[in-house]
């Protein structure tokens, strides 16, 4: 940690659309670009997804929440009608409304779509009308016919919902002056501080999230009480304050080991990651180096041993949780979309705090292979779980019904527990904030995306760049300088950890680059161009032998993309389970994916010992006939887009 005194940021935390961004630490010289400082090109990989998010996903989510009565829950509280009306939705359905409002607020930072503005104002009015006199805001507890407030901290999700309310207000407050939503959030945060402060109840919420909301609202409003309350929640956790829950131990909600003592992330993955993100916020703002070091240690251990190739986190369906070290089964991978979003949140905060490029590498892996995998290309259906192997093709999901299962191999329009669609929405709406970072006179291009960049340098002046690339399909990133100060500045281009043999082409010559940051530090002239050439040709990836479930298998990646085989690409109705890859035959690029040589084996039917025999034999592995085939591997993030299919990322070797 290199922070010393708080460093004022030129595009600070006030309501300036240009400088608005989700995370604004109180200390540290490094900052993410404001949403108005980076415009993603509409035809780029991320720009097109952001557009679909704005034009389809946001309204899709509003329509579902209206239809299911989750929005009307606020009206019922406002009208005092909670006794006569049965409340639909889970205890945490309010949070989906808040996440959607956050998405709208970020979206409005870069566009000023009147319909979106009007929608956000309407939603704010409905939410505000449900706030109690003392600031409490929630539609599930504390009103006529409902259980008492904070009577079920294990499952009630009240503080979790409030955390999302505060995050939504931060988005609004940073992009719009003097807004009602900020007033609502301030009153809600004050109520939390009164109820759970040093003189209040010694409790924590079963689902972390309030920590993040309080920390960021504290930053927005320059209110240290909120930061202190967030720190108190982080400190209280891991001390057994939550009651027992059936089948799952206290590690499910990280209440078994104090945050600063934990070695790795355990339990419910989204909970663990939201808590870690909040802990980084607290650590940075209070200068708590021990706490920051603890989260960095947990990141190291978890990425080394508990993270899937896609960047996905979570190996167990029972508790949507992390497994033990090396427990990474591809078919039972859970990899909830929200855990991908949360992992990005943690890594982003750690990058801002440390400048370590590894955090940005994981952000990239997770964005391309988890976050981008969830939404269907029309933005109106989503994956919740993201396994790396699908044994049975998904059954068609009905477009007019909530999906009751988190898994299933088909993107669904909505879920009974529908946390993922709105999490995708708020992430895509603010995505450009993660593309560029500024530190002093250095500008870092962190994610390679077609974008127009105009950032304010801390020492004055602006650097304007036009970045054009077909990445990740193509590895060339063309950076044109449009405007630069007449003094030396640093332009840093991230070379991902997988990129061996990357090059930088300038007028003065070509440089071979190592993974990390390639830095050009000199006077930049308007009109000059730099070309970053990244090797995105497909490559083999081998698992650590300690990951038992992957032993004898290999995967193929191309640039930041994980590739997969789908049965729809196999002739004759054959299954991906019949494939054995031949790595000696090489791997070739093919239309955004790869072509590999494989053996298509005939499986002994029905078992090696005849009908009804167990699938085990003393005579050694069965000999199977097979024939060579060329197999097309495609980007994992688009799997099951054409039709339900079986799928494998990891394939056995011949
Ligand atoms: Zn989710």
């Amino acid at each position: 940690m290199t922070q010393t005194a708080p460093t004022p940021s030129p595009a600070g935390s006030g309501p300036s659309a240009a400088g608005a961004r989700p995370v604004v630490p109180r200390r540290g010289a490094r900052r993410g670009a404001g949403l108005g400082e980076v415009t993603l090109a509409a035809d780029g990989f991320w720009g097109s997804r952001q557009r679909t998010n704005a034009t389809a996903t946001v309204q899709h989510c509003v329509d579902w929440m209206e239809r299911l009565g989750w929005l009307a829950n606020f009206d019922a509280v406002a009208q005092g009608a909670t006794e006569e009306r049965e409340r639909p939705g889970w205890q945490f359905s309010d949070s989906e409304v808040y996440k959607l409002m956050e998405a709208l607020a970020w979206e409005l930072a870069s566009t000023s779509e009147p319909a979106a503005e009007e929608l956000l104002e309407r939603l704010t009015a409905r939410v505000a009308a449900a706030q109690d006199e003392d600031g409490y805001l929630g539609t599930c507890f504390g009103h006529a016919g409902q259980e008492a407030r904070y009577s079920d901290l294990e499952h009630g999700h009240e503080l979790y919902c409030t955390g999302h309310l505060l995050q939504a207000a931060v988005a609004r407050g940073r992009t719009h002056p003097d807004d009602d939503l900020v007033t609502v959030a301030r009153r809600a945060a004050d109520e939390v501080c009164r109820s759970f402060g040093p003189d209040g109840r010694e409790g924590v919420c079963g689902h972390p999230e309030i920590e993040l909301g309080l920390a960021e609202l504290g930053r927005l409003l320059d209110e240290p009480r909120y930061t202190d309350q967030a720190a108190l929640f982080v400190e209280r956790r891991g001390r057994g304050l939550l009651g027992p829950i059936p089948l799952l131990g206290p590690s499910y909600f990280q209440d078994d080991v104090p945050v600063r003592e934990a070695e790795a992330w355990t339990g419910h993955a989204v909970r663990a990651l939201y808590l870690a993100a909040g802990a980084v916020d607290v650590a940075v703002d209070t200068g708590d180096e021990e706490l920051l070091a603890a989260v960095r240690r947990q990141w190291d251990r978890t990425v080394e041993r508990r993270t899937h190739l896609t960047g996905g986190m979570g190996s167990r369906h029972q508790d949507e949780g992390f497994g033990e070290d090396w427990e990474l089964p591809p078919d039972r991978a859970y990899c909830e979309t929200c855990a991908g979003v949360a992992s990005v949140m943690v890594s982003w905060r750690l990058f801002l705090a440390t400048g370590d490029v590894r955090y940005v590498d994981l952000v990239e892996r997770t964005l391309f292979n988890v976050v981008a995998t969830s939404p269907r290309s029309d933005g109106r259906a989503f994956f919740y779980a993201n396994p790396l192997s699908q044994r049975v093709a998904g059954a068609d999901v009905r477009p007019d019904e909530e999906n009751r299962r988190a898994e299933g191999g088909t993107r669904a329009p909505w879920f009974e527990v529908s946390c993922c669609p709105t999490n995708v929405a708020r992430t895509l709406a603010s995505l450009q904030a993660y593309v560029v970072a500024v530190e002093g006179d250095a500008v870092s291009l962190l994610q390679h995306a077609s974008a127009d960049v105009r950032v304010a340098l801390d020492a004055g002046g602006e650097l304007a760049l036009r970045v054009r690339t077909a990445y990740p399909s193509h590895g060339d990133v063309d950076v044109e300088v449009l405007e630069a100060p007449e003094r030396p500045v640093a332009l840093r281009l991230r070379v991902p950890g997988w990129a061996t043999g990357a090059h930088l082409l300038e007028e003065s010559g070509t440089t071979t680059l190592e993974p990390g940051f390639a830095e050009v530090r000199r006077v930049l002239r308007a009109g000059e161009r730099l070309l970053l050439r990244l090797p995105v040709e497909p490559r083999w990836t081998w698992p650590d032998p300690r990951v038992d479930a992957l032993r004898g298998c290999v995967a193929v990646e191309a640039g930041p993309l994980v590739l997969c085989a789908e049965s729809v690409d196999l002739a004759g109705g054959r299954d991906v389970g019949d494939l054995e890859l031949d790595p000696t035959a090489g791997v070739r690029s093919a239309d955004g994916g790869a072509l590999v040589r494989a053996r298509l084996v005939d499986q002994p039917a029905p078992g090696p010992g005849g009908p009804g025999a167990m699938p085990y034999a003393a005579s050694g592995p069965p000999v199977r006939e097979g024939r060579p085939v060329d197999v097309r591997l495609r980007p994992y993030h688009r799997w099951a887009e054409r039709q339900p299919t079986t799928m494998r990322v990891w394939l056995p070797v011949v």
Side-chain angles (χ1 to χ4, degrees):
M1 188 174 175
T2 53
Q3 285 82 7
T4 48
T7 308
S9 163
S13 56
S16 126
R21 55 197 188 274
V23 186
V24 183
R26 283 181 197 268
R27 300 177 186 223
R30 200 171 296 106
R31 70 174 179 91
L35 298 192
E37 293 182 308
V38 179
T39 304
L40 296 171
D43 58 352
F45 184 98
W46 290 116
S48 62
R49 280 163 176 77
Q50 190 172 61
R51 207 179 165 85
T52 302
N53 186 56
T55 55
T57 303
V58 167
Q59 190 61 48
H60 172 87
C61 293
V62 172
D63 290 347
W64 271 95
M65 290 193 278
E66 197 73 271
R67 179 182 153 182
L68 295 173
W70 298 0
L71 277 162
N73 287 341
F74 290 92
D75 308 335
V77 171
Q79 293 155 10
T82 47
E83 195 146 28
E84 52 266 37
R85 174 180 174 273
E86 192 171 339
R87 181 188 177 280
W90 286 87
Q91 303 97 317
F92 41 81
S93 66
D94 294 0
S95 69
E96 310 310 340
V97 177
Y98 302 145
K99 276 188 281 179
L100 202 269
M101 293 169 76
E102 183 186 338
L104 271 167
W106 292 133
E107 187 56 42
L108 284 163
S110 40
T111 63
S112 46
E113 182 60 47
E117 175 66 34
E118 206 179 293
L119 174 59
L120 182 52
E121 284 174 13
R122 275 203 314 273
L123 292 173
T124 300
R126 287 171 82 175
V127 165
Q131 188 162 36
D132 293 346
E133 276 297 301
D134 66 352
Y136 179 87
L137 181 46
T139 68
C140 195
F141 291 87
H143 306 101
Q146 299 178 335
E147 299 295 319
R149 280 183 199 177
Y150 306 125
S151 56
D152 183 5
L153 288 178
E154 288 75 22
H155 304 103
H157 286 79
E158 289 159 280
L159 292 167
Y160 165 84
C161 288
T162 304
H164 279 300
L165 168 69
L166 306 191
Q167 284 192 306
V170 165
R172 186 59 163 167
R174 291 215 171 112
T175 54
H176 189 275
D178 304 323
D179 193 74
D180 294 344
L181 189 56
V182 176
T183 308
V184 169
R186 189 196 288 270
R187 293 179 59 213
D190 288 343
E191 189 278 321
V192 171
C193 291
R194 281 195 304 276
S195 298
F196 291 93
D199 303 324
R201 175 172 172 185
E202 190 189 16
V204 295
C205 183
H207 199 314
E209 159 65 23
I210 185 67
E211 300 82 357
L212 279 163
L214 281 168
E216 207 63 43
L217 189 71
R219 291 165 171 177
L220 173 75
L221 300 175
D222 198 19
E223 177 51 84
R225 277 188 307 124
Y226 299 160
T227 314
D228 293 346
Q229 185 64 47
L232 196 55
F233 280 134
V234 169
E235 219 49 55
R236 279 180 188 161
R237 204 153 201 107
R239 302 179 196 281
L241 291 174
L242 293 163
I245 49 173
L247 299 175
L248 302 167
S251 69
Y252 172 69
F253 28 45
Q254 298 76 44
D255 200 30
D256 53 339
V257 181
V259 176
R260 62 181 74 235
E261 292 171 23
E263 291 298 323
W265 291 323
T266 59
H268 187 268
V270 179
R271 283 171 164 82
L273 292 161
Y274 280 0
L275 178 62
V280 176
D281 288 340
V282 166
V284 168
D285 284 8
T286 62
D288 187 340
E289 299 205 19
E290 183 192 57
L291 184 59
L292 182 65
V295 179
R296 297 191 72 185
R297 182 175 73 231
Q298 291 152 19
W299 188 97
D300 284 351
R301 172 76 169 258
T302 305
V303 171
E304 257 175 41
R305 305 176 189 203
R306 300 182 180 197
T307 302
H308 292 274
L309 181 63
T310 52
M313 293 187 179
S315 296
R316 295 179 180 174
H317 289 228
Q318 183 200 16
D319 60 350
E320 305 187 306
F322 286 101
E324 302 293 347
D325 287 351
W326 317 116
E327 183 186 335
L328 295 163
D331 48 353
R332 298 300 291 160
Y334 198 66
C335 301
E336 181 179 342
T337 300
C338 287
V341 167
S343 166
V344 169
M345 290 163 64
V346 177
S347 290
W348 177 246
R349 284 160 172 78
L350 288 174
F351 168 73
L352 291 178
T354 65
D356 189 335
V357 72
R358 296 178 309 144
Y359 299 125
V360 189
D361 279 358
L362 187 68
V363 168
E364 174 179 68
R365 179 172 290 279
T366 310
L367 285 176
F368 277 115
N369 299 296
V370 180
V371 176
T373 306
S374 176
R376 198 168 61 197
S377 53
D378 69 355
R380 293 188 171 91
F382 307 85
F383 275 143
Y384 186 122
N386 295 283
L388 279 75
S389 165
Q390 183 72 29
R391 292 181 183 276
V392 179
D396 269 339
V397 169
R398 291 182 54 131
D400 55 348
E401 269 181 18
E402 292 170 276
N403 197 9
R404 297 192 182 280
R405 280 155 48 86
E407 63 268 28
T410 310
R411 292 174 181 83
W414 201 250
F415 300 89
E416 192 188 11
V417 173
S418 216
C419 44
C420 300
T422 51
N423 234 344
V424 169
R426 67 178 182 145
T427 304
L428 289 177
S430 56
L431 198 74
Q432 67 267 42
Y434 304 97
V435 167
V436 174
V438 185
E439 181 182 1
D441 260 352
V443 173
S444 303
L445 300 188
L446 304 174
Q447 302 299 336
H448 301 303
S450 278
D452 294 315
V453 178
R454 176 176 288 276
V455 288
L457 297 167
D458 295 348
E462 291 183 330
L463 181 64
L465 307 167
R466 180 188 292 130
V467 183
R468 289 295 177 267
T469 179
Y471 190 83
S473 313
H474 196 282
D476 282 2
V477 182
D478 184 1
V479 182
E480 183 183 357
V481 178
L482 301 180
E483 189 182 320
E486 290 176 0
R487 63 175 188 272
V489 296
L491 180 60
R492 294 180 186 150
L493 306 168
R494 184 177 63 92
V495 180
W498 48 260
T500 41
H503 291 93
L504 182 64
L505 285 66
E506 297 175 82
E507 264 174 37
S508 56
T510 300
T511 318
T512 303
L513 305 172
E514 295 295 319
F517 283 113
E519 181 173 297
V520 175
R521 186 183 285 273
R522 57 179 166 77
V523 178
L524 295 172
R525 297 181 319 277
E528 72 168 292
R529 292 168 82 160
L530 298 90
L531 183 67
L532 175 65
R533 183 155 281 173
L534 296 169
V536 295
E537 295 75 29
R539 62 187 187 276
W540 303 107
T541 298
W542 302 89
D544 187 303
R546 286 170 287 187
V547 185
D548 317 58
L550 302 179
R551 211 170 282 169
C553 289
V554 67
V556 176
E557 296 180 273
L561 300 179
V562 173
L563 305 184
C564 68
E566 293 179 80
S567 57
V568 300
D569 286 320
L570 302 180
R574 297 297 296 265
D575 186 74
V576 288
D578 300 334
L579 291 174
E580 293 178 347
L581 288 199
D582 179 5
T584 62
V587 53
R588 285 176 287 153
S589 292
D591 193 23
L595 265 182
V596 290
R597 204 88 236 270
R599 197 167 80 110
L600 193 60
V601 298
D602 299 320
Q603 306 290 2
M614 294 180 76
Y616 317 103
S619 54
V623 177
R624 296 179 298 178
E625 296 299 316
R627 62 184 173 83
V629 287
D630 283 328
V631 176
R632 169 70 62 88
L633 305 181
R634 297 179 188 271
Y636 171 78
H637 68 79
R638 291 272 52 80
W639 87 271
E641 180 88 5
R642 290 169 291 166
Q643 67 180 71
T645 179
T646 64
M647 175 278 296
R648 287 182 78 126
V649 167
W650 294 102
L651 288 151
V653 172
V654 169

